[in-house]
Each structure stands twice: as C-alpha cells, then as structure tokens.
C-alpha cells in the first residue's frame, strides 16, 4: 500500500530552540492518525510543516523531508496548490471578516469556481458536515465573526472541507465545542475517512481512542511511539511514557 | 516584528541613523550662507491677492494628499508585506522613519523656511537678478519655488507619519487571519486585496488624516508668527492662518471620528 505522507528525519528549530528532533513516520491513505502529546511536543509545528505555513515564521528552520504522494513538498512549485490539497483547522477559531456564506465559499472561489448553484451546494454540504447548517441556514449573510466560539470553530471546519482536501489536519478542533456536537462531528469524520486522510491532533486522549486507526505519541519534539490505537491504549504499549500519558499518570 | 537583539544589529542601526545627520551637516553650509544673505524683503510673500493665496494652499493640499500619503502607504505596504524581516534596507528605512516622526512638527516649519525658501532665494541671486525686484516683476516664478518648497516640507512631514500609521494598521490585522487565509490556498495578492486592506483601510485613512492635521497645524502656527512679525499684509495672511487652522482642526476631528465610529465596528469584525 502506497503511503499518503512520508516524513523522514524531520527537524524543526525556532532559532536555537528545537521543536522537532528528527521525526520519521508514514501516514497511510484513508486513515485517521491521532497525534497526542503534552504542550510543546511539536504537534502543531508538524502540521504547519505539512502545509508549509511554517514559512511565515521567519526564525524557523526545517530539515528533513516530507513527501505527499511520493513528491517532496519543497519541490512543489505552486505552494498555493499544495495548500488547497490540505485542509487545516487551527485550534483558535478564526472567522474571516466575511459573511458565513463567503467564509465557506472563499476557498472554492480562490480556486476559480464562480457559478452560484455549485457554490450553494458546496456551502450547504460543508456546513452540514460541520454540524452547523441547522443553526445558520437562515442567516448565511450575517458576519462569520459574530458567531459564538464553538460555532466559529465549526465554521473553520466547514471552510477546511470546502476545497475538498486530500488530507485534513485537525488541530484540537473540539476545544470550544460541546460534547454532543463533538460526537456529531466525530461521526462525520468517520464517514469522511473514505474520501480523505485525516490527521487529528488532540489533547483529549479519549477522542484519539474513539476515532483514530493509529495513534502517535509525541513528547518534547520526539516521536515516542506510533502504533495502532488498540496497542497504544492497551496495557502494554512499547514505551512506559506512553502508558503513563494515556492513563493520566504522567509526571 | 523581531526586536533588535544582537550587538551587531544595534551597531548597524546606529551607523544607519547617523547618515541623515551627516547629510544635514553638509546641507547646513549653503543654508548658513543663504541665511546670512537673506533680508526681510526676501521673505515677504509677493501676491497681495487673498484668493490666489488660498488657491495656492488648495493646490498644496491636493498635491500633498496625492504625493505624500500615497508614497507613505506604498512604502509601508512594501515594508510590511514584501521586504524580508531581517534586511538592511528595512533597518535603514525604519530607523529614518523613527527619526523623522520623532522630530517636533514646529521644527519642520523652521527647517522649511531656512532650507527650501532661503535656498530658493540664493538660486535667484546666482541667476544674477536681485530677488526682491525679481519677485515684483515675475510673481509666478516666485510662487512656484515657494510652492515646491512647501510641498517638499509637507512630504517630509507627512510621509513618515503615514508610513508609521499604515504599518501599524497592517500589523493590526491579526496573524491568525492571514495564516487561515493562506491555509485555504490564497495567494499573497488575494490575502492583501480581500482581507488585509478592507480591515486596515479605515486605520490607514485615519493615520493619513492625522499626519495631514499635524502638518496644517504647523503651517498655521508659522503663519500666525508671521502675522505678528510683520503686519503689513495682515488681511491675506490671517485668511491663510484661519484656513490652515480650520483644516487642521477638521482633519484631527475627522481622523478621531474615523477611529471611534467606524473602527469599533471593524475591530469586532477582525
């Protein structure tokens, strides 16, 4: 089976401070890969390397290679094309100062789609997938930034889905969403798995347990362990630190 | 913005800031000579026609808005959006902007009188005709040099302040917004045109107005001093005084109303 993403020897430094020290692993196609680990372990940095938004941090230096479908992402000439293939949901909900409709339609429009019926369909589908459609379908013209925190978070999920990405990176997407709605989105993610590969960074280890096919445990910029979720959450994972973190006795 | 931390960078900044002082020093020699030659008659404004003076001021207003503010905005966009963060040209421009904005605005007026106006006078002396008689016969030429001097002063006063306020307006557009738009596959130009400029526009406008207000207040002050110094042409000059003061007052009130009224809405949006 061909790997969707191949990461080998990835090192990232912010100035002198290391953020990732030589991480290597593969992501299989159509899997949900849970990424867990405490703060400062390099989870968000990893996602930023994959869609090359780390380039906006001037002091960051990247070594090693990341391959998407066997192609090194550094050799992809059109970085905007690369970013369109990867959906990204950031931990802080960023509603763009546009209407709800325009927020979701932004990426398809950027890619050159202009016809109204097609945009309508994409907007409705994405908002439904993000479990937001019922709450906003009567006020698609109001400002996206006027929504509540949890609604904005779901709006960013809808936005990330709007350009039909091959890889969906979720960085602590459920941070401001109530448990019931979170469960609805998790169900959607399970169905989306057939269309795309999902990287799920989460602080809720139970969420990784519920959703992920495989789980990776990061600690201080090192990949401690990557294995199927059953093994990671079993009584005997390969590394003692993983067991401690997963069972909440870390320290 | 990354702070200037290393010793070498601080040293470089210090040297770069020294350049304008050297330039001013070299320029001071002909200015000093010119000041010695200038007599009171040379400083008088020629045309006694109030209307033409006010029209002249309107020309200045238009040319300054076009030149100084556009120059400042373009410069600020270049600095913020395209120039690399750690670059000698950025350090050069930013340290000079810092110097120029920190100079009190009254000082600009005095500099303007001593540099541009008296230097124009010496040029006429070199031409061979005494400036006092020359201005009687050809008032238009005299007005043109005055006009250029005033516009140059305004550019020196307005541009740095516009650069500063525009930069701050652009920085006020939060990095998460930019990163979110970039993550959706938008290009630099699309990010600027569709997100950064609409959010920052009101602040840029208010900053430009504030810079203009500063310049007009200084001009009004200088004209006021001139009235008390020489009351031979009091009618026309006090007309200009009131015009400049009124425009300055209007612009400052307008800029604060822009930030108070419109920007509160936009900060909610961003």
């Amino acid at each position: 089976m061909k790997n969707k993403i191949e990461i080998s020897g990835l090192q990232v430094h912010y100035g002198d401070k290391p953020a990732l020290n030589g991480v290597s692993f593969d992501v299989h196609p159509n899997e949900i890969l849970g990424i867990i680990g405490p703060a400062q372990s390099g989870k968000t940095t990893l996602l930023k390397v994959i869609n090359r938004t780390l380039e906006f941090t001037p002091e960051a230096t990247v070594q090693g290679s990341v391959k998407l479908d066997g192609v090194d992402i550094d050799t992809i000439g059109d970085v905007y094309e690369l970013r369109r293939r990867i959906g990204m949901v950031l931990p802080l909900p960023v509603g763009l100062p546009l209407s709800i409709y325009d927020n979701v339609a932004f990426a398809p429009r950027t890619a050159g789609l202009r016809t109204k019926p097609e945009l309508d369909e994409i907007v409705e589908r994405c908002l439904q997938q993000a479990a937001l459609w019922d709450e906003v379908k009567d006020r698609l013209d109001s400002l996206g930034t006027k929504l509540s925190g949890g609604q904005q978070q779901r709006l960013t999920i809808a936005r990330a889905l709007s350009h039909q990405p091959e890889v969906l990176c979720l960085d602590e997407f459920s941070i401001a969403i109530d448990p019931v709605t979170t469960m609805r989105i998790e169900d959607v993610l399970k169905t989306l798995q057939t269309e795309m590969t999902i990287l799920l960074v989460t602080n809720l280890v139970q969420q990784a347990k519920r959703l992920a096919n495989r789980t990776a445990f990061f600690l201080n910029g090192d990949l401690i362990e990557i294995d199927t979720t059953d093994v990671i959450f079993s009584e005997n994972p390969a590394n003692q630190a993983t067991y401690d973190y997963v069972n909440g006795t870390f320290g | 913005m990354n702070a200037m931390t290393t010793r070498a960078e601080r040293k470089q900044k210090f040297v770069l800031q020294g350049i304008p002082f050297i330039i001013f020093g070299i320029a001071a020699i002909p200015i000093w000579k010119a000041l010695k030659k200038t007599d009171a008659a040379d400083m008088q404004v020629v045309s006694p026609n109030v209307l033409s003076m006010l029209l002249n001021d309107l020309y200045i207003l238009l040319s300054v808005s076009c030149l100084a503010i556009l120059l400042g905005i373009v410069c600020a966009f270049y600095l913020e959006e395209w120039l690399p963060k750690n670059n000698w040209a950025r350090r050069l421009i930013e340290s000079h902007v810092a110097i120029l904005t920190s100079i009190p605005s009254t000082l600009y007026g005095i500099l303007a009188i001593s540099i541009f106006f008296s230097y124009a006078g010496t040029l006429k002396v070199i031409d061979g005709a005494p400036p006092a008689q020359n201005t009687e016969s050809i008032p238009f030429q005299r007005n043109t040099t005055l006009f250029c001097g005033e516009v140059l002063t305004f550019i020196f006063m307005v541009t740095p302040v516009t650069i500063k306020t525009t930069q701050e307006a652009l920085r006020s557009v939060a990095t998460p917004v930019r990163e979110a738009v970039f993550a959706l596959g938008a290009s630099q130009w699309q990010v600027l045109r569709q997100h950064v400029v609409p959010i920052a526009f009101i602040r840029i406008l208010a900053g430009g107005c504030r810079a203009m207000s500063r310049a007009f207040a200084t001009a009004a002050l200088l004209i006021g001093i001139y009235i008390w110094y020489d009351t031979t042409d009091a009618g026309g000059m006090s007309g200009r005084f009131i015009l400049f003061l009124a425009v300055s007052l209007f612009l400052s009130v307008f800029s604060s109303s822009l930030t108070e009224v419109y920007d509160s809405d936009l900060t909610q949006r961003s």
Side-chain angles (χ1 to χ4, degrees):
Chain A
M1 189 166 60
K2 206 159 156 272
N3 289 318
K4 187 71 185 170
I5 303 174
E6 292 167 16
I7 297 171
S8 59
L10 183 67
Q11 289 186 355
V12 178
H13 291 262
Y14 291 112
D16 300 330
K17 199 172 142 283
L20 281 174
N21 335 306
V23 174
S24 304
F25 65 95
D26 299 328
V27 183
H28 305 154
N30 299 85
E31 76 166 344
I32 299 181
L33 178 69
I35 298 173
I36 56 173
Q40 296 292 310
S41 54
K43 307 175 303 244
T44 305
T45 305
L46 178 75
L47 296 191
K48 282 188 175 180
V49 171
I50 292 173
N51 81 340
R52 283 178 66 181
T53 45
L54 196 70
E55 290 169 9
F56 300 124
T57 315
E59 65 268 22
T61 49
V62 183
Q63 288 159 319
S65 78
V66 178
K67 285 180 182 167
L68 180 66
D69 285 333
V71 181
D72 196 316
I73 58 164
D74 283 330
T75 61
I76 293 177
D78 188 356
V79 66
Y80 309 119
E81 182 62 40
L82 170 76
R83 289 187 192 134
R84 267 178 232 138
R85 290 166 65 188
I86 297 168
M88 180 70 84
V89 176
L90 301 165
L92 274 177
V94 183
L96 302 176
L98 300 168
S99 72
I100 295 170
Y101 185 94
D102 290 338
N103 256 289
V104 183
F106 179 79
R109 278 184 183 147
T110 305
L113 192 67
R114 295 280 163 193
T115 46
K116 179 87 174 140
E118 278 182 77
L119 283 175
D120 285 346
E121 191 213 313
I122 289 174
V123 169
E124 183 176 344
R125 175 175 56 78
C126 295
L127 285 173
Q128 268 172 351
Q129 281 174 337
L132 189 62
W133 175 252
D134 294 334
E135 290 163 53
V136 299
K137 64 183 173 192
D138 300 324
R139 49 180 179 128
L140 288 174
D141 290 332
S142 62
L143 273 179
T145 41
K146 293 260 163 77
L147 294 172
S148 76
Q151 287 173 327
Q152 283 197 40
Q153 186 75 64
R154 280 177 278 157
L155 185 62
T156 58
I157 295 171
R159 220 165 53 200
L161 292 171
S162 65
H163 46 114
Q164 287 168 312
E166 299 165 24
V167 180
L168 182 65
C169 300
L170 297 162
D171 196 351
E172 294 168 26
F173 76 92
S174 60
I175 205 161
I177 305 179
D178 66 272
V180 178
T181 317
T182 305
M183 295 306 274
R184 280 169 65 194
I185 297 171
E186 285 181 10
D187 290 339
V188 172
L189 292 180
K190 279 179 197 157
T191 57
L192 281 176
Q193 202 182 344
T194 53
E195 299 166 29
M196 55 188 77
T197 310
I198 298 173
L199 293 180
L200 176 74
V201 168
T202 179
N203 277 339
L204 308 169
V205 285
Q206 291 307 313
Q207 191 171 57
K209 189 180 178 182
R210 283 196 297 270
L211 280 177
N213 305 110
R214 292 193 308 152
T215 300
F217 175 55
F218 279 75
L219 181 63
N220 294 331
D222 291 309
L223 175 63
I224 302 293
E225 196 174 345
I226 179 166
D227 214 324
T228 55
T229 303
D230 294 339
V231 175
I232 295 280
F233 286 87
S234 69
E235 288 301 306
N236 45 2
N239 196 297
Q240 182 62 32
T242 312
Y243 180 82
D244 290 344
Y245 184 76
V246 166
N247 291 286
T249 55
F250 192 74
Chain B
M1 282 306 299
N2 29 355
M4 295 287 151
T5 41
T6 65
R7 222 191 151 87
E9 276 174 335
R10 250 178 293 166
K11 212 184 239 172
Q12 192 184 358
K13 213 177 173 189
F14 185 76
V15 172
L16 289 173
Q17 284 190 333
I19 295 172
F21 290 104
I22 297 167
I23 294 171
F24 274 124
I26 296 167
I29 301 163
I31 294 162
W32 177 246
K33 283 181 184 166
L35 273 175
K36 282 190 136 181
K37 280 180 191 167
T38 314
D39 51 37
D42 190 36
M43 297 295 289
Q44 273 186 9
V45 178
V46 178
S47 171
N49 190 346
V50 179
L51 187 69
S52 80
M53 272 188 199
L54 293 182
L55 276 178
N56 191 22
D57 293 339
L58 275 179
Y59 283 139
I60 292 170
L61 181 80
L62 284 175
S63 42
V64 166
S65 348
C66 291
L67 285 172
I69 292 189
L70 273 181
L71 186 69
I73 288 172
V74 167
C75 194
F77 265 89
Y78 180 65
L79 275 176
E80 275 306 293
E81 305 291 334
W82 278 283
L83 211 59
K85 290 278 175 239
N86 219 342
N87 182 294
W88 67 269
R90 166 184 284 275
R91 277 201 280 279
L92 179 82
I93 297 171
E94 280 190 345
S95 52
H96 282 209
V97 165
I99 289 175
L100 288 172
T101 47
S102 65
I103 293 175
S105 54
T106 323
L107 216 62
Y108 274 106
I110 293 160
L111 269 176
I113 286 177
S114 55
I115 298 177
F116 295 121
F117 292 21
S118 55
Y119 197 64
T122 36
L123 281 178
K124 292 239 183 292
V125 173
I126 293 163
D127 278 344
Q133 290 164 21
N134 200 13
T135 48
E136 294 288 333
S137 52
I138 321 166
F140 180 70
Q141 252 185 17
R142 179 67 180 157
N143 270 346
T144 315
T145 34
L146 263 179
F147 173 75
C148 290
E150 284 175 37
V151 169
L152 271 176
T153 319
F154 268 66
I155 287 174
F156 266 92
M157 273 179 83
V158 171
T159 309
V161 182
T162 317
I163 291 176
K164 198 85 193 157
T165 47
T166 309
Q167 270 188 308
E168 266 151 31
L170 290 177
R171 273 178 220 158
S172 74
V173 181
T175 329
V177 172
R178 288 165 194 258
E179 282 189 3
V181 184
F182 272 120
L184 290 173
S187 66
Q188 168 102 37
W189 176 242
Q190 283 170 320
V191 171
L192 264 184
R193 193 166 55 85
Q194 297 177 6
H195 293 278
V196 175
V197 172
I199 295 172
F201 179 72
I202 293 291
R203 286 185 197 186
I204 293 172
L205 198 64
C209 284
R210 203 166 297 154
M212 296 268 287
S213 148
R214 205 173 91 112
F216 273 95
T218 311
L221 184 73
L222 285 171
I223 291 168
I225 291 170
Y226 189 84
I227 294 170
W228 292 312
Y229 177 71
D230 188 349
T231 48
T232 49
D233 193 21
M237 292 312 275
S238 53
R240 295 183 74 189
F241 178 68
I242 290 162
L243 175 79
F244 274 66
L245 212 57
V247 172
S248 162
L249 205 65
F250 166 74
L251 283 172
S252 61
V253 171
F254 180 58
S255 77
S256 51
S257 74
L258 271 180
T259 45
E260 289 300 313
V261 179
Y262 297 100
D263 205 42
S264 56
D265 180 40
L266 275 157
T267 17
Q268 277 178 0
R269 289 173 63 182
S270 56

